Each structure stands twice: as C-alpha cells, then as structure tokens.
Amino acid sequence: MTRTFASDSIQSEPRAEGWLQRKFAPYLDRATILGILLLVVLVTLPRLRSLAIHENEMDALRTLGVLGGEVFAAEGAAPDRLGALFTADSTLERRLADTRVLEDGRRLLRYGYLFELVEDQAGRGVRAWPVEHGRTGQGAFWLDARRGLHGSPNREARWSGVERPPAPSEVQGWAELELPGSRRDGI
C-alpha cells in the first residue's frame, strides 16, 4: 500500500534563519545605508578640506596683489603699516571687506592668512602666511615691487601663526609665481 500526502497536509516548522532575517532585516538595511554614508563622509571630508585650503591660498594671492598695488603705487607716500590703508571710506575697505586689522594696524587677517608689510635692505615687501598650517593654509608668499611674487609650499610648516612669519632673508630661494586673475568683482 502506498500513501500519498497532500502538500497542504505537511506543515513545515519555522526555520530559525527565516525568523532571524525577518527580525533583523530592517536593522541590516539601516546599517548598510549608514555604512555607505560613513564611507562617503570619510572620502569627501579630506577633499573638502583640501579645496578650502586651496581657496584660502588663492585668496591670499589675490589679496597680496591688491595690497601690493596700494603699497607700491606711490613709493613716497607708502604706509608704515597695512592697517593705515583701511579707513572707513577707502576703496580698499570695500574691496577687501572681510579683512580684519590686527595689532594696531601692523598685521591683517583675511581667510586664514596673515599679511604684514616688511622693510629690509632690498626694500618693502608684503608677506602672507597661514594662521594655522594645514588647517587654514599651507603656502607662504612674498610680494615686492622689485622681485615680484614668490612663494613656498611650506611643507615643513616653518611659517605658521603670529609667532612664525617668513623673514625677508628666507625668500631668496622661493619659487616665482604669477598673481591669479580675479574671480569676482572687487578682487
């Protein structure tokens, strides 16, 4: 005698794997999405920091060009300090609106870079260096009427912060640079 079973008469026992999948599937989906977002953030943040540092350096070069134009335009009437160029009604105040005058006008701060007018045996120069190397900028720059614009990648972070500006004597070995063009009206 042979027995046949109807398919609906056999009951299957619930499998542990199916139960686990149903129980943790929503969490697994969320964890996957969270992992992807974390990966995107970890890849994107260094690139954004690099772009911000590059943009600060470009703004420093443009600012040097504007300041140099003012300082070297009339050698006899050149200011002793960069802050003297910034008065309430000056065109420079409007062109470099985001600039802060520091230390009784000796130094300027703009987009993570410090600027200072320096006099040495070769003449006047305007120097620019990062407030915090690696965070607000990397390169250090020097502009004077005779030699033009020079820069250093400053990879060793020699010039960073108020206490460590580049000295005029250190500029001799720096690379010659071109001033960048304006990207917006006014600078």
Side-chain angles (χ1 to χ4, degrees):
M1 167 163 172
T2 60
R3 291 176 115 175
T4 58
F5 294 101
S7 61
D8 56 331
S9 67
I10 300 177
Q11 292 184 346
S12 62
E13 295 182 25
R15 305 187 93 196
E17 297 158 0
W19 177 82
L20 282 174
Q21 277 184 334
R22 283 191 308 273
K23 181 75 173 166
F24 292 109
Y27 301 111
L28 189 60
D29 291 344
R30 291 179 187 143
T32 303
I33 291 171
L34 184 63
I36 291 170
L37 288 174
L38 182 63
L39 181 65
V40 167
V41 167
L42 290 175
V43 169
T44 305
L45 280 180
R47 293 195 135 243
L48 289 175
R49 178 175 292 277
S50 174
L51 286 172
I53 287 172
H54 178 73
E55 192 59 33
N56 283 354
E57 289 177 346
M58 294 305 292
D59 280 329
L61 291 172
R62 288 183 196 102
T63 302
L64 272 177
V66 171
L67 292 173
E70 294 289 324
V71 169
F72 307 129
E75 193 62 37
D80 290 341
R81 298 168 180 239
L82 289 177
L85 298 171
F86 287 82
T87 61
D89 59 344
S90 73
T91 58
L92 198 57
E93 176 70 26
R94 288 189 299 276
R95 290 179 76 188
L96 301 175
D98 296 334
T99 304
R100 285 191 3 211
V101 178
L102 306 175
E103 299 179 29
D104 296 329
R106 228 178 93 220
R107 291 185 176 150
L108 303 177
L109 172 65
R110 185 163 199 263
Y111 297 136
Y113 266 80
L114 295 160
F115 300 86
E116 186 173 23
L117 180 62
V118 180
E119 187 118 17
D120 71 343
Q121 63 273 14
R124 294 179 150 227
V126 180
R127 62 185 170 192
W129 70 102
V131 171
E132 188 179 332
H133 183 274
R135 193 173 85 69
T136 63
Q138 291 179 337
F141 309 104
W142 181 275
L143 177 67
D144 66 35
R146 190 173 56 82
R147 292 177 286 190
L149 177 65
H150 287 78
S152 168
N154 193 20
R155 287 187 183 95
E156 298 85 26
R158 289 180 61 191
W159 307 291
S160 177
V162 177
E163 303 83 26
R164 298 185 343 219
S169 60
E170 297 172 308
V171 177
Q172 303 303 329
W174 290 9
E176 192 171 332
L177 302 174
E178 292 286 324
L179 284 171
S182 174
R183 69 183 166 106
R184 62 184 180 264
D185 189 30
I187 180 167

